[in-house]
Amino acid sequence: MLGRSSELARFDSLLDRAAAGARRAARGEEFRDGARSRIVDITGEAGIGKSRLLGEVCARARRRGMTVLRGRATEYERRVPFQVFTDALAHLGPRAPDGFRETDAVAPLLERSGAVDRFGLHRSTAALLARLAAPSGLLLALDDLHWADPASLELLDHLVRHPPHAPVVLAMTRRDRQGPESLAAGLTRGVDTGTVVRLGLRPLSADDCAELAGPGLPLAETAALHAASEGNPFYFLTLLQARRDSTTPESSAPPGLGTLLLEELTVLVPARRDIVEAVAVLGEHATPTMVSHVTGRPGTAFADDVHALTRRDLLRTTPQGLLTLRHPVVRTLVHENTPFLRRAEIHRLAARELARVGASAAERAHHVERSLTTWDPAAVAVLDEAAEQTARTAPASAAHWLDVALRHLPHTPEHTSRRRELSLRRARALAACGGLRESRDLLQELIATPRRSPDGPTADEDRGLRVRAVVLCAVVERHLGRSTEAVAVLRRELARDPAPAPAHVVRLGLELGSAAPLDSETSYARVRTEVEAALAAARSTGDEVGEAGVLAVAALGEAYEGNMTAAHRLARQAATLVDSLPDNDLTALCEPLARLGWAEAFLEHYPDAERHAERGLDIARRSGQLYVVPHLLLCLSHVRVQTCRIPSALELAERAEDIARGIGSDQLLAFVLASRAAALVAGCPPGDPRPLAVAEEAVAAAGSGVDWWASTAWCIFGWAALMAGDPVRARDAMLQAGGPELQRIQPSMRPLYLEILVTAALLTGMPEEARAWAERARKEAEQLGLPMQRASALRSAAHLPLAQGDTAAAADLFAEAAAESARCGAVFWEAHSLLLGAPLDAAAGRGRAGTHAWLRGRRLAEAGGSGMLVGLADATRPPEGGPETPYGSPDRAGLTERLATLTVRELEIAELVAQGLTSQAIADRLFLSRRTVETHVSRTFRKIGVSSRTALAALMARRAGGRFGDAGSAT
């Protein structure tokens, strides 16, 4: 391993830490940092020694007693799903992993049949790796990932973003300038976050090459070979071997690498060359039996030929018993120089042999595809079946095989129906794997294809397929952030002559009602007539499933618009029907179930929302409707934030993020990241930078859009900025979210978001603006009649008397807000209101009430895992000498440490804030501008981890050892 000492030293350190961590975990000791997984990205050009380094690392891991799994991606099998992981896990043997409960979830990686959720497979793979790491640690070595199939790349991306919390070292090699951009981007993101270590291999030095050549070669010739090879060890050794074999004159310039390698084949007899070509073509199916079969060589002669080729180091045998060429570069050259028809015949024979032994269509598809030279119904049937088998786990491969089938399907009338059906299936597969634009283009082409006849036996079939294509096209347009186009294509189909059948009206109306609220130009009110027509159509035909779906969509539309009386009525009707139907009848209603869950969440019926979202999630997973899963997960995440179950909310949002990234929709990703940011704001302690960072990523994903996705992302960004102590940025974000008169902010959530504007306005010294926003929040909350929204308006109102020093009035409003929140089960906001009001009760001479409010708020915060609320509780803790609490005395050492980070000016301003002075009053007293004062206040918030003047005042009161009541004198 010349020239690789530093890389090996780095690996030795990682392997030692993993092995030691595994031993500690096996003894039941605390799971420490050394037991965390590590990811190493080895990059370099072809032949630079990546695989050789990886082999040495595997040997060192085995010497430490670690489990070692090694797989290699291959150049001509880039559509075989999970190929590199399947290759690696083949080392486990037929009995492993014994006792692993999620074996069925990772069946495709173990070459077993089974239709599984591909994102569930990702999570289960991480769990499998963690299990295999016990008790001695695991090295997962993945070679040549620049050739990995899309399904493997997606799984790898998950492992980079969610490394197993186990003693696992995941080492991978790739050519950094040859691999897919998605792989490079994911690994670079991992380097930035510290989860990935990158090792770039450099060429060998002249001295290294001299040592590699040995003492028998003159230094001048070594130097010439080093210069010709540019320090690439594979090319250097090939040149050296050619010189020793005298295949190139010493006086001539060294030939190219390809020429040298192909010269090795010229001396082979035809039978042995046939074996080399068969091995190059067969790849992962190059078992001795298969190679013997496709070359037609009998057993003894075949064995002699393989032995001779192995002695020449053209062939090698893998640990799984496969025949392989000595280097991927050799395989590429042999493969490309094998005549096309000869390659096709090898693939045809391989496909036939695999079919004979019962291999699945997905396993045969690679060979079938490469054997096709003309229309072959049987071969296309295999590709069709393979696409069906892999649609859920590897949709990119499914889309590819359907494309191959379509390219070979004759353009004749008798194949028209099948072509249209295959095209629709391909569009669905493309939409599932991130090819949204290609899917839309294919669907638009399919929709534009003229019908064969308005009547006749196939007319209904044509119309049904067209409607399915239109609905899918609208879904894709939605995910591309083009809700206006989605609404237009649906309305055009509804207006077609002859009029759509009632079943089609229901299907189109369902999607229209789903798309309209997301559109910046089309509110739900503008499509209410079409949705009502869909409801009438469902009822006229006795379609209870369709009726339930339309009711759910209508309930969400009305809830979004703030028409709560209608929303309550529609949601109750939808829930009654849904609850009466069996799961099998609801398979087509996964998205309406998500709509019903969201409607109930906006109506603050949290138990009902959770029940319906969980049911929809179970049905969606079993039926493979993954594009609906993020909406259901986010509905559950939203409910659990409101009801203060923060760790669960964050986990659900992270699972939704995996799927959103796989689908490739920026708009959906913006919504997912905004939801994750909301859970992080609630979950992280004050001063944690993660919520604002994720919120920034959410608005970046939303781009310049002005739709519902973007508005939601900006609102959550505003909340994160406020909690980070930046009220100016928070105010700007809310105005960006709402546009003129805040019309783009969801009406049924507007009072909650107005609270951000009220607080930001007061913190930046604009009391009149704050008063106007608070009054608007009051009016809108009263119109909605929702307890949590009314609680938000009450908190907004409480800040106004607080700014004037009327702590008793403010405390009463916070208490009323807590009671309203408790009425609907919004535990997070109940605790928030209690903790804001507790110091004000004490300031108003109601110390016992304040302590009781603080105790309940703190208990709710801790039980719900809310770092934000626990931080607020710490900032408003009753002073020593007050009523006994189970939490002990205040952390004066921590308080002193935080306050010590303030500058003299910041401390001076903090003391004036504690006295109840507004920003303008402080500016007048200190002869500063109001903006300067606000900047100092924002910096103080960030340094000591608070997000309001109330909390800052409480800390300053504790510092001075003064009365607890001084804590609430300002906002």
Side-chain angles (χ1 to χ4, degrees):
M1 293 304 299
L2 294 170
R4 305 299 182 220
S5 56
S6 62
E7 289 86 354
L8 286 171
R10 187 68 180 272
F11 266 113
D12 282 338
S13 175
L14 294 174
L15 295 174
D16 286 340
R17 290 206 300 186
R23 288 193 296 270
R24 285 196 298 271
R27 293 194 299 266
E29 297 179 13
E30 183 181 354
F31 204 71
R32 298 177 183 173
D33 180 69
R36 289 194 302 111
S37 60
R38 308 287 174 172
I39 299 171
V40 186
D41 176 27
I42 306 170
T43 66
E45 64 183 33
I48 202 68
K50 302 183 297 298
S51 298
R52 176 71 181 87
L53 174 65
L54 197 61
E56 176 62 22
V57 171
C58 289
R60 295 185 180 208
R62 290 189 187 96
R63 289 198 291 271
R64 288 169 169 81
M66 297 176 67
T67 298
V68 176
L69 302 176
R70 185 174 183 180
R72 181 190 294 275
T74 47
E75 183 174 8
Y76 301 103
E77 289 78 24
R78 280 186 266 189
R79 292 296 172 181
V80 178
F82 304 109
Q83 183 265 324
V84 65
F85 285 94
T86 298
D87 190 31
L89 292 172
H91 291 265
L92 292 175
R95 289 177 52 82
D98 288 338
F100 181 59
R101 295 180 180 178
E102 299 178 60
T103 300
D104 289 344
V106 296
L109 306 188
L110 302 173
E111 295 187 307
R112 301 175 187 174
S113 61
V116 301
D117 165 10
R118 78 184 201 261
F119 298 102
L121 180 147
H122 298 166
R123 295 190 298 276
S124 296
T125 300
L128 174 62
L129 297 180
R131 178 180 177 83
L132 295 173
S136 56
L138 169 69
L139 172 66
L140 176 61
L142 304 177
D143 213 352
D144 289 336
L145 282 180
H146 48 278
W147 287 326
D149 61 276
S152 292
L153 292 175
E154 193 174 57
L155 173 52
L156 179 64
D157 182 68
H158 175 87
L159 295 175
V160 171
R161 288 186 292 107
H162 305 287
H165 195 58
V168 176
V169 177
L170 197 168
M172 63 192 75
T173 72
R174 64 185 177 93
R175 300 176 192 171
D176 46 4
R177 290 179 293 182
Q178 199 171 325
E181 292 182 5
S182 60
L183 173 62
L187 291 171
T188 299
R189 186 170 60 245
V191 171
D192 293 340
T193 60
T195 59
V196 174
V197 176
R198 179 161 292 161
L199 298 180
L201 299 193
R202 298 180 178 180
L204 299 181
S205 67
D207 290 341
D208 290 333
C209 284
E211 187 173 347
L212 190 61
L217 191 68
L219 289 178
E221 292 187 31
T222 302
L225 293 179
H226 173 264
S229 67
E230 298 180 342
N232 183 299
F234 178 65
Y235 191 13
F236 178 85
L237 289 172
T238 302
L239 287 169
L240 180 64
Q241 186 61 43
R243 180 194 174 281
R244 288 172 175 165
D245 292 344
S246 299
T247 58
T248 180
E250 295 181 17
S251 59
S252 65
L257 179 61
T259 301
L260 287 171
L261 294 173
L262 289 173
E263 282 178 353
E264 292 187 71
L265 304 181
T266 60
V267 299
L268 298 179
V269 298
R272 291 176 181 174
R273 178 156 184 153
D274 285 349
I275 291 173
V276 171
E277 290 174 345
V279 170
V281 170
L282 290 172
E284 63 172 7
H285 285 130
T287 62
T289 301
M290 181 69 80
V291 176
S292 174
H293 173 77
V294 301
T295 57
R297 298 286 288 161
T300 303
F302 176 76
D304 292 342
D305 289 338
V306 169
H307 182 63
L309 291 167
T310 303
R311 284 203 314 270
R312 297 181 66 91
D313 197 27
L314 268 171
L315 289 189
R316 294 177 180 177
T317 304
T318 70
Q320 294 82 29
L322 297 177
L323 296 176
T324 183
L325 296 170
R326 72 168 180 266
H327 194 279
V329 172
V330 178
R331 184 192 180 193
T332 300
L333 286 166
V334 174
H335 190 283
E336 295 305 316
N337 283 275
T338 300
F340 170 74
L341 291 179
R342 167 68 177 150
R343 290 202 307 265
E345 178 63 10
I346 292 172
H347 283 299
R348 186 186 67 79
L349 293 171
R352 189 175 70 182
E353 179 64 13
L354 287 170
R356 187 185 67 80
V357 299
S360 68
E363 192 174 358
R364 289 179 279 148
H366 162 69
H367 295 294
V368 168
E369 172 193 347
R370 292 180 175 271
S371 68
L372 272 174
T373 56
T374 185
W375 163 239
D376 182 344
V380 169
V382 172
L383 296 176
D384 188 350
E385 184 181 353
E388 184 71 27
Q389 290 175 357
T390 58
R392 291 178 60 181
T393 53
S397 294
H400 171 76
W401 286 327
L402 288 169
D403 181 47
V404 174
L406 284 165
R407 281 191 275 114
H408 287 85
L409 195 66
H411 287 270
T412 53
E414 64 266 30
H415 294 292
T416 299
S417 292
R418 189 174 187 191
R419 175 174 296 281
R420 287 166 61 82
E421 186 64 43
L422 291 177
S423 295
L424 182 59
R425 285 175 52 204
R426 181 166 183 263
R428 186 172 290 113
L430 287 168
C433 68
L436 291 172
R437 286 173 176 79
E438 190 177 356
S439 174
R440 179 194 61 198
D441 294 344
L442 183 57
L443 288 165
Q444 288 180 343
E445 180 182 338
L446 185 59
I447 294 167
T449 303
R451 298 177 183 177
R452 283 176 290 174
S453 170
D455 300 304
T458 62
D460 290 341
E461 179 185 331
D462 281 349
R463 291 191 189 104
L465 186 141
R466 181 187 177 85
V467 168
R468 283 188 287 149
V470 167
V471 170
L472 180 58
C473 186
V475 171
V476 172
E477 294 282 25
R478 270 200 282 135
H479 282 108
L480 286 169
R482 291 161 50 93
S483 295
T484 300
E485 289 78 1
V487 169
V489 73
L490 291 163
R491 278 183 158 162
R492 183 179 64 184
E493 190 63 24
L494 280 167
R496 280 190 174 271
D497 185 27
H504 297 161
V505 171
V506 173
R507 193 162 191 165
L508 294 164
L510 272 170
E511 178 55 30
L512 187 60
S514 299
L518 307 176
D519 185 12
S520 60
E521 299 178 6
T522 306
S523 67
Y524 176 77
R526 296 186 181 179
V527 301
R528 187 180 284 119
T529 300
E530 288 100 327
V531 175
E532 289 174 348
L535 181 60
R539 286 171 170 167
S540 71
T541 58
D543 179 6
E544 289 188 324
V545 174
E547 181 182 355
V550 177
L551 285 168
V553 166
L556 178 59
E558 300 294 359
Y560 176 90
E561 296 288 346
N563 302 320
M564 292 308 174
T565 301
H568 280 292
R569 174 176 52 80
L570 291 164
R572 282 195 302 270
Q573 293 176 6
T576 299
L577 263 179
V578 163
D579 293 343
S580 70
L581 294 170
D583 283 0
N584 287 342
D585 288 352
L586 296 178
T587 300
L589 279 189
C590 287
E591 189 158 14
L593 273 172
R595 306 291 172 188
L596 177 58
W598 273 111
E600 291 168 330
F602 292 150
L603 290 167
E604 299 174 7
H605 300 164
Y606 299 126
D608 291 335
E610 191 163 9
R611 179 167 55 87
H612 289 129
E614 285 180 336
R615 188 180 183 194
L617 193 59
D618 182 57
I619 296 170
R621 283 175 175 152
R622 282 191 277 109
S623 59
Q625 299 179 64
L626 288 178
Y627 77 97
V628 184
V629 171
H631 300 281
L632 292 158
L633 290 170
L634 295 180
C635 178
L636 288 170
S637 180
H638 172 82
V639 167
R640 289 177 188 178
V641 168
Q642 312 312 311
T643 55
C644 206
R645 291 172 285 167
I646 309 304
S648 172
L650 185 56
E651 180 190 356
L652 290 163
E654 288 174 345
R655 284 161 56 188
E657 182 182 349
D658 291 340
I659 302 174
R661 291 188 184 278
I663 291 174
S665 166
D666 289 340
Q667 280 64 34
L668 178 58
L669 181 61
F671 182 36
V672 168
L673 290 171
S675 298
R676 183 174 160 223
L680 284 169
V681 170
C684 291
D688 193 311
R690 288 178 295 165
L692 189 58
V694 175
E696 287 174 336
E697 190 179 354
V699 297
S704 58
V706 292
D707 52 18
W708 178 81
W709 313 93
S711 175
T712 301
W714 278 107
C715 285
I716 301 302
F717 177 79
W719 188 28
L722 184 66
M723 293 299 103
D726 194 342
V728 174
R729 204 174 180 194
R731 178 180 180 274
D732 291 344
M734 298 309 298
L735 296 177
Q736 172 73 28
E741 300 299 318
L742 303 184
Q743 291 305 308
R744 288 201 300 267
I745 292 180
Q746 181 177 335
S748 55
M749 295 288 286
R750 204 177 283 148
L752 179 65
Y753 292 139
L754 280 167
E755 185 180 354
I756 298 170
L757 277 170
V758 171
T759 309
L762 287 170
L763 288 172
T764 52
M766 293 184 283
E768 292 307 314
E769 180 178 309
R771 190 174 302 279
W773 293 131
E775 177 60 17
R776 180 171 177 181
R778 183 192 67 80
K779 290 179 179 179
E780 296 201 19
E782 290 301 325
Q783 183 177 355
L784 291 171
L786 298 173
M788 193 188 80
Q789 297 301 322
R790 186 165 183 271
S792 298
L794 288 165
R795 284 193 301 273
S796 293
H799 292 303
L800 301 176
L802 187 56
Q804 303 302 318
D806 189 349
T807 55
D812 289 342
L813 288 167
F814 280 127
E816 193 176 351
E820 284 290 325
S821 300
R823 194 156 64 88
C824 66
V827 177
F828 178 85
W829 298 109
E830 179 190 358
H832 190 230
S833 303
L834 289 169
L835 293 171
L836 287 175
L840 307 182
D841 272 320
R846 303 185 295 227
R848 184 171 297 277
T851 299
H852 288 162
W854 184 88
L855 281 170
R856 176 166 173 76
R858 175 66 187 244
R859 281 195 296 268
L860 294 175
E862 284 197 327
S866 173
M868 169 195 157
L869 294 179
V870 170
L872 178 59
D874 288 344
T876 58
R877 183 191 300 268
E880 290 180 285
E884 290 296 321
T885 77
Y887 307 110
S889 61
D891 181 8
R892 290 192 177 277
L895 170 60
T896 302
E897 182 178 334
R898 282 184 282 168
L899 291 175
T901 64
L902 301 182
T903 65
V904 174
R905 176 65 84 184
E906 288 166 351
L907 189 59
E908 180 181 24
I909 290 174
E911 289 172 342
L912 294 174
V913 167
Q915 295 172 24
L917 273 67
T918 65
S919 294
Q920 188 61 58
I922 296 171
D924 294 342
R925 178 176 294 194
L926 301 180
F927 303 102
L928 300 172
S929 71
R930 190 185 72 186
R931 176 67 68 182
T932 299
V933 171
E934 292 162 0
T935 300
H936 282 303
V937 171
S938 295
R939 288 175 181 167
T940 300
F941 285 176
R942 285 194 293 270
K943 286 183 177 182
I944 64 177
V946 297
S947 58
S948 71
R949 291 192 176 208
T950 302
L952 175 59
L955 284 176
M956 297 307 295
R958 286 168 54 195
R959 171 180 178 269
R963 302 184 317 277
F964 182 52
D966 293 339
S969 58
T971 214

